[in-house]
Amino acid sequence: MNGLESYIHHHFGISPTDCQRVSGLFKIETLEKGNYFLRSGKFCDKLSFIESGILRVYVDLPEKDVTQWIGTAGFFVTDVQGFMFRHPSRFNMQALTDMRLFTISYEAYLTMGTLVPKWHEFEKLFMGKCFVMMENRILDFISMTAEERYLKMFDQNRELFNQVPLQYLASMLGMTPETFSRIRRKLVS
């Protein structure tokens, strides 16, 4: 079982045979550091599982860019609004490291329901997990201090602090680089 099959089997309880059917629709894709998975204004016609590497999802605003998410191994990446509802993307998605992805095209994705009869149940579970993850991020923003958000990210994603420019982490946590540095200095001393 490859990483994609293991993830699908573990998180959704799909049989090994169905995991192989599903993963057979995905193709290996590599993305070099600095290259884009997607640019804002373009249509997202793929969904990818990150096998290795780090991807930054961000939006360009008039005075700055804001990191929405940092994708790492073991996570899926797409522009949900674009992929599911066929709207142009609001986000840029850029590789921060060399990446290896399992990628499925929109057209192949649409065939999953005929390939795996229970796919729509799994899809609903997958979307539910994504929704809960976003709800938790929103709750963190409205209920936690900047220091608490920093500590939570550090506890859950310690390796990112050595692999990703700190201004991207600060942006993702909704703080300025100066606030991020001040919290970091306070916690180190």
Side-chain angles (χ1 to χ4, degrees):
M1 234 184 232
N2 64 38
L4 174 62
E5 291 171 1
S6 294
Y7 180 92
I8 292 170
H9 179 68
H10 175 73
H11 287 280
F12 302 107
I14 297 177
S15 73
T17 302
D18 283 345
C19 283
Q20 286 180 333
R21 285 186 189 130
V22 168
S23 72
L25 295 174
F26 285 76
K27 307 298 178 217
I28 298 288
E29 180 182 7
T30 58
L31 193 60
E32 292 180 7
K33 179 181 179 177
N35 287 347
Y36 284 83
F37 177 85
L38 179 67
R39 287 191 181 261
S40 65
K42 303 291 182 191
F43 285 92
C44 187
D45 60 352
K46 59 187 176 178
L47 167 73
S48 294
F49 178 80
I50 302 172
E51 183 181 55
S52 64
I54 301 173
L55 184 81
R56 177 181 177 229
V57 179
Y58 68 97
V59 63
D60 286 313
L61 298 177
E63 295 180 21
K64 62 182 176 179
D65 60 56
V66 176
T67 301
Q68 190 263 353
W69 187 65
I70 304 286
T72 57
F75 283 93
F76 281 91
V77 63
T78 192
D79 175 54
V80 174
Q81 178 175 293
F83 189 74
M84 300 300 287
F85 302 108
R86 314 311 299 149
H87 293 285
S89 179
R90 298 171 288 179
F91 300 103
N92 290 296
M93 299 181 187
Q94 185 179 29
L96 296 180
T97 64
D98 289 344
M99 300 187 71
R100 183 175 157 94
L101 309 156
F102 289 99
T103 299
I104 187 170
S105 69
Y106 178 75
E107 292 76 22
Y109 182 84
L110 293 177
T111 69
M112 292 256 226
T114 56
L115 189 63
V116 178
K118 288 187 165 188
W119 177 253
H120 297 294
E121 292 175 37
F122 302 129
E123 181 182 47
K124 187 164 50 172
L125 183 60
F126 174 71
M127 288 301 183
K129 286 179 182 236
C130 292
F131 191 73
V132 167
M133 194 165 76
M134 291 304 294
E135 282 184 327
N136 289 339
R137 281 197 64 201
I138 292 167
L139 181 60
D140 290 351
F141 271 100
I142 62 175
S143 66
M144 298 173 95
T145 65
E147 186 172 324
E148 289 169 333
R149 291 192 309 272
Y150 177 101
L151 287 169
K152 183 175 181 178
M153 176 176 256
F154 188 77
D155 288 341
Q156 293 177 346
N157 301 289
R158 188 172 303 223
E159 69 284 351
L160 288 182
F161 285 71
N162 295 318
Q163 299 173 329
V164 173
L166 297 180
Q167 72 263 23
Y168 298 163
L169 297 178
S171 177
M172 190 170 116
L173 291 171
M175 60 184 81
T176 65
E178 295 78 20
T179 299
F180 188 92
S181 293
R182 181 178 43 77
I183 292 169
R184 186 175 180 158
R185 276 193 310 272
K186 175 185 171 188
L187 295 173
V188 169
S189 58

